[in-house]
Amino acid sequence: VFSISPQSARKESLDTAPSRPSGITHETGMSGELILKRSWFHPALFGLLFFCIAWDAFLIFWYSIALFGPAKPGGGFNFIMVVFPIGHVAVGVGLTYYVVAGFLNKTKVIIDFESLTVSHGPIPWRGNQSFRREEVKEIELEFAGINTNSYKPSMTVNVNLQDGRQLVLLSSIPDRQAEYI
């Protein structure tokens, strides 16, 4: 658990400034705000990309046969060939969206004198949040498990608010990146 009061932040930054891990960039904005950017890219995305290409290509082939292939006796198309793979199409769309976001997205954590903001983009993703500084009581790290891609610990970064609520800011990120943030 880390306090974000200006006095403790100044003292801790002088005593124990952590080194910046790979995958995080650290910038200072025009108004003095702290901007941390975290890339979503990881090498496992290449395997998922080839899987998505094969999966989506098969579905295109399947639907081209179902809709434009030889007609059923009595005319029309084979209704079951169109309806059956709907779940497969949903998986293909979701996985393709995840892979594209993984290659392109970055998470931005912006801390200024008035607020704490977390945003994801350029591909839209849930989890964009903004808090006024006085709403935030503390930031807390929680062990999230072992990352299946790297077999290293991953953490969740939570925000504890003054009203007693705890919300997730970032989930399942490498432990060094979570500690730095």
Side-chain angles (χ1 to χ4, degrees):
V1 176
F2 302 93
S3 172
I4 65 165
S5 70
Q7 296 80 12
S8 67
R10 223 175 282 119
K11 179 183 177 289
E12 288 177 19
S13 67
L14 295 174
D15 295 344
T16 59
S19 61
R20 184 178 53 83
S22 62
I24 300 240
T25 58
H26 180 137
E27 301 171 9
T28 302
M30 301 272 290
S31 304
E33 65 269 15
L34 170 65
I35 303 170
L36 300 174
K37 292 181 184 176
R38 179 185 177 276
S39 173
W40 290 18
F41 176 79
H42 54 87
L45 287 170
F46 287 111
L48 286 173
L49 175 66
F50 291 118
F51 179 80
C52 283
I53 290 169
W55 185 275
D56 295 346
F58 177 77
L59 285 171
I60 291 169
F61 172 73
W62 178 276
Y63 273 103
S64 66
I65 290 173
L67 297 174
F68 307 113
K72 220 172 103 170
F77 57 87
N78 193 345
F79 182 72
I80 194 70
M81 282 188 71
V82 172
V83 174
F84 171 73
I86 295 287
H88 296 81
V89 171
V91 169
V93 168
L95 194 56
T96 301
Y97 192 86
Y98 171 80
V99 169
V100 170
F103 276 108
L104 300 177
N105 272 11
K106 289 186 184 317
T107 294
K108 268 197 230 181
V109 177
I110 303 170
I111 303 167
D112 60 25
F113 294 105
E114 297 175 4
S115 63
L116 165 66
T117 303
V118 176
S119 63
H120 312 288
I123 306 299
W125 203 266
R126 62 186 164 85
N128 295 339
Q129 303 177 70
S130 189
F131 305 97
R132 290 187 331 274
R133 186 177 190 140
E134 57 271 4
E135 286 182 291
V136 178
K137 180 179 178 184
E138 57 196 8
I139 304 296
E140 180 178 289
L141 299 180
E142 182 180 334
F143 178 72
I146 302 297
N147 187 314
T148 56
N149 296 323
S150 64
Y151 301 105
K152 293 181 179 176
S154 65
M155 305 288 274
T156 297
V157 180
N158 299 316
V159 60
N160 294 327
L161 301 176
Q162 295 292 350
D163 64 8
R165 291 182 297 152
Q166 182 182 58
L167 302 171
V168 174
L169 288 180
L170 303 168
S171 61
S172 299
I173 64 174
D175 59 342
R176 289 262 303 119
Q177 290 182 358
E179 290 167 359
Y180 185 78
I181 291 171

Tab-separated table of all heavy atoms in Angstrom, residues 1 15 22 29 127 140 172:
chain	number	residue	atom	x	y	z
A	1	VAL	N	0.859	-1.173	0.000
A	1	VAL	CA	0.000	0.000	0.000
A	1	VAL	C	0.900	1.229	0.000
A	1	VAL	O	1.875	1.294	0.740
A	1	VAL	CB	-0.924	0.009	1.227
A	1	VAL	CG1	-1.739	1.266	1.268
A	1	VAL	CG2	-1.811	-1.225	1.218
A	15	ASP	N	14.222	8.916	-1.603
A	15	ASP	CA	14.839	7.784	-0.928
A	15	ASP	C	14.934	6.530	-1.791
A	15	ASP	O	15.971	5.876	-1.835
A	15	ASP	CB	14.058	7.436	0.343
A	15	ASP	CG	14.114	8.550	1.372
A	15	ASP	OD1	14.988	9.433	1.236
A	15	ASP	OD2	13.271	8.538	2.285
A	22	SER	N	11.352	-2.368	-18.494
A	22	SER	CA	11.050	-2.335	-19.918
A	22	SER	C	9.543	-2.408	-20.107
A	22	SER	O	8.823	-2.980	-19.297
A	22	SER	CB	11.734	-3.493	-20.639
A	22	SER	OG	11.242	-4.717	-20.150
A	29	GLY	N	4.506	15.927	-18.640
A	29	GLY	CA	3.667	16.714	-19.533
A	29	GLY	C	3.984	18.199	-19.467
A	29	GLY	O	4.798	18.655	-18.662
A	127	GLY	N	-12.334	0.136	-19.030
A	127	GLY	CA	-11.411	0.381	-17.927
A	127	GLY	C	-10.861	1.793	-17.866
A	127	GLY	O	-10.051	2.085	-17.003
A	140	GLU	N	-2.880	0.370	-4.093
A	140	GLU	CA	-2.522	-0.912	-3.504
A	140	GLU	C	-2.180	-1.913	-4.600
A	140	GLU	O	-2.826	-1.954	-5.644
A	140	GLU	CB	-3.721	-1.416	-2.698
A	140	GLU	CG	-3.532	-2.731	-2.010
A	140	GLU	CD	-4.759	-3.106	-1.200
A	140	GLU	OE1	-5.003	-2.461	-0.163
A	140	GLU	OE2	-5.467	-4.033	-1.623
A	172	SER	N	-3.454	-7.725	-13.973
A	172	SER	CA	-2.571	-8.756	-14.532
A	172	SER	C	-1.416	-8.190	-15.343
A	172	SER	O	-1.209	-8.559	-16.485
A	172	SER	CB	-3.379	-9.738	-15.378
A	172	SER	OG	-4.334	-10.379	-14.585
